[in-house]
Amino acid sequence: MSDLAGMIVRAPDRMLVQGITGRQGSFWAERMQEYGAKVVGGVNPKRAGEEFLGVPVYESAVAAAKETEIDVAVMFIPPMAAKAAALDAIEAGVRLLVVLTEHIPTQDVMYFMAAAKDSGTRIMGPNTAGLVTPGETFVGIMPAWEEDICRPGRVGVVSRSGSLGTLACLNLVQAGLGQSTVLGLGGDPILGTTTIEALQALEQDPGTDAVVLVGEIGGTAEEDAAEFIAAMSKPVVAFIAGGASPAGRKMGHAGAIVTGDKGTYRSKRNALEKAGAAVLDMPSQLGETMHKVMASRAAAVPQSGAIEFPTDH
Amino acid sequence: MDFEEYAAKPLLAAAGIAIPRGETVTTPDEAAAAAESLGPVVVKAQVPAGKRGKAGGIRPADDAASARSAASEILGMAIGGHTVERLLVEERADIARELYAAVLNDTASKGPLVLFSTLGGMDVEEAAAQDADAVRRHAIDIRHGLDPAAAGNILDGLDLGEATEAVADVLVRLYDVWRSRDAELVEINPLAITGDGRIVALDCKFTLDDLSKVRHEDIVGSGVPDTLTELEARGRDLGLTYIELDGEIGILANGAGLTMTTMDAVRHYGGAPANFLEIGGQSYTKATPALDLVLSNPKVRSLVVNFCGAFARTDVMTEGVVNAWEELKPDVPVFFSIHGTGSKEAVPIVRERLKMEPFPTMDEAVRAAIAAAK
């Protein structure tokens, strides 16, 4: 099992961009570099040996790993080529593999998930928008540099959706709060890192005081995490998208579909509320609610070393 | 994509799993002719819905005449909201025992899962509810697949007697169907042991992984097509996920999560969404046809454009929307909220070319759109 803390990207992380010379790969690799991410190379077998965006292009992740140390690989790779690229990164021994690709055939996903489990590689996604640790580094396709979206702070953000994760970040910054880290999990049914694992990582993270959980209809990730949320020392504020969505239709994400009585808005909301999370009706309530829960938690938690007096009742 | 019984069973047969002889027919005369050559048969409604038997859609017939009358009764029936237009006429099996077998995608183990039960012929969830041990579950490493020895282990201690080896062989073949055909689910219920000891699949459900359709062009034509409205079909042809709803507030947003949330906001503030349409991901460059699509719904009385760009660049999307707006000159009011990647370039486009100011929040844009629709 890979280390939970490993899903949080840090300033020293050395990153490899698979598909760096493509239209999207080059655009986002450049944004990552501007932000300060340590991009140490890229992959494109047709342009191996060239230099691109000031870094070497390698034939494969395995070839790159022979030349340079890599902590994180990120895939700007089309769906039908994703399995081979993921297996390449896993074989190269990266700690963390960020799979941005959407619409990868499900059995291809299962195949590289099984390989990653054996090697202890942490996978984020597929269909994730990536990871941001404001003020340190970012990987993927999040607007980390936009000052009204990402700002250093003490709230950890977990989101299945990239666009909605971005909205949650915006709402935090509008309320004068910032993020300790932003973890994009992805919109697919089968994910390398689940909601509960992301919450476990933030519970352990000393830079995080509170958590925003942005979920959506479909699957049981939020229900599965409820028991852990109930035991967390840090407050959790949650929003579930899709309350107004019809059942039986895939709402854009392969994972966002309600069939039968599983994965409904109501079942998720009930499970989270029962676990003690503050569940929002609208994302715009995030800032105010977060201030409130952080203040009440700070008042309730005794300072370390404080003496506890027995009470009368 | 779901496959009905008549389209699913040939996939089993191709993998070497025995199925009854049968014919797919659409008229009582054809049903009679099929029974004539097959002997005693079962006449089975072919619709993409469960509980066909309870609905009266499955009937035995001993000869051609009774097959004709069974067919004329079943054809035209409504089962699960579908009108029966097609029948499968199959030779009747001599059933000694009914089993259940399936291979499906399991999100928890992130791989394939084999399900097996000796309580076949009923809903496996009901069987599991009666007896938790009634359904065997076996997770498989997709890199290694299912070999006969592992299949035998699944059946260990199940009292299948002489049939054990043959049932294990069916499990191996069933797994091969799942794997080679990129199934999401392949289920045989019941899997019959006949009086003379053969193992025969009497029904089959098959669901193809939608993301793998391109690998299975040869069978996609026999799956159940999506039931789409005219506008939804137009969206699909453009490569856009458009879902038509009953309300009056048109929605154009990027990303599935944000689009669902925009719909939630419309409901929350007392309106009703007219559609789901996201132009995030790779389709963020399709803002112009997307806008055209939203406005083609005559119910739309006002429009919210809500962008919170991550991968989807709001400058590219906004320019597409504004281009379309100038070209189509629609007479419904529009309300923007724009944040995220490219917003510094996007906001001036709206300001200068449409002479309006994007709202600072989604909530304000949604409230204004609802007020304007009244």
Side-chain angles (χ1 to χ4, degrees), chain A residues 248-299:
Chain A
R249 303 290 303 260
K250 266 178 202 159
M251 302 307 289
H253 285 157
I257 180 167
V258 174
T259 47
D261 56 0
K262 291 215 179 83
T264 64
Y265 176 79
R266 201 23 76 184
S267 66
K268 289 174 190 298
R269 183 160 184 151
N270 287 348
L272 292 170
E273 280 174 347
K274 215 173 142 197
V279 184
L280 307 174
D281 294 326
M282 279 289 105
S284 53
Q285 300 162 333
L286 174 56
E288 195 190 331
T289 308
M290 185 55 82
H291 277 301
K292 214 179 286 173
V293 299
M294 287 175 87
S296 70
R297 194 64 66 110

Side-chain angles (χ1 to χ4, degrees), chain B residues 135-152:
Chain B
V135 181
R136 295 266 169 107
R137 296 160 182 277
H138 180 80
I140 292 176
D141 186 328
I142 192 172
R143 294 170 300 167
H144 307 128
L146 181 68
D147 60 34

Side-chain angles (χ1 to χ4, degrees), chain B residues 117-336:
Chain B
S117 176
T118 52
L119 298 178
M122 62 192 293
D123 190 323
V124 73
E125 281 173 20
E126 286 170 36
Q130 279 188 5
D131 175 5
D133 297 329
V135 181
R136 295 266 169 107
R137 296 160 182 277
H138 180 80
I140 292 176
D141 186 328
I142 192 172
R143 294 170 300 167
H144 307 128
L146 181 68
D147 60 34
N153 288 341
I154 296 171
L155 306 175
D156 202 27
L158 279 180
D159 182 31
L160 290 169
E162 289 174 354
T164 303
E165 206 172 310
V167 173
D169 179 63
V170 168
L171 289 184
V172 170
R173 292 172 191 276
L174 187 64
Y175 177 82
D176 287 343
V177 173
W178 177 87
R179 182 73 173 109
S180 64
R181 281 305 189 178
D182 279 295
E184 220 170 81
L185 163 75
V186 56
E187 178 186 78
I188 303 173
N189 189 25
L191 177 66
I193 303 178
T194 61
D196 57 0
R198 292 179 308 124
I199 316 293
V200 184
L202 296 189
D203 195 1
C204 180
K205 258 191 221 165
F206 176 87
T207 306
L208 177 64
D209 176 27
D210 286 336
L211 302 173
S212 303
K213 275 183 183 167
V214 59
R215 293 172 176 164
H216 303 280
E217 303 278 6
D218 58 326
I219 57 168
V220 166
S222 53
V224 180
D226 293 329
T227 44
L228 300 178
T229 67
E230 200 185 319
L231 288 176
E232 287 171 346
R234 235 172 86 190
R236 181 200 53 203
D237 295 344
L238 288 164
L240 297 168
T241 307
Y242 174 89
I243 297 175
E244 197 173 332
L245 304 167
D246 291 333
E248 69 289 349
I249 311 294
I251 292 171
L252 186 59
N254 67 285
L258 186 68
T259 308
M260 277 191 275
T261 303
T262 313
M263 288 164 56
D264 295 341
V266 168
R267 275 254 187 270
H268 182 74
Y269 291 112
N275 65 275
F276 171 96
L277 174 60
E278 62 126 340
I279 55 168
Q282 298 290 350
S283 59
Y284 76 82
T285 53
K286 296 177 186 167
T288 304
L291 181 71
D292 192 16
L293 192 58
V294 172
L295 296 174
S296 297
N297 179 346
K299 283 177 285 197
V300 170
R301 303 187 48 153
S302 68
L303 176 68
V304 177
V305 177
N306 184 24
F307 293 152
C308 204
F311 177 75
R313 291 167 55 180
T314 59
D315 51 337
V316 177
M317 293 187 291
T318 303
E319 182 154 20
V321 168
V322 172
N323 287 347
W325 200 265
E326 287 172 346
E327 189 188 315
L328 301 168
K329 297 188 176 55
D331 58 0
V332 297
V334 59
F335 304 89
F336 286 86

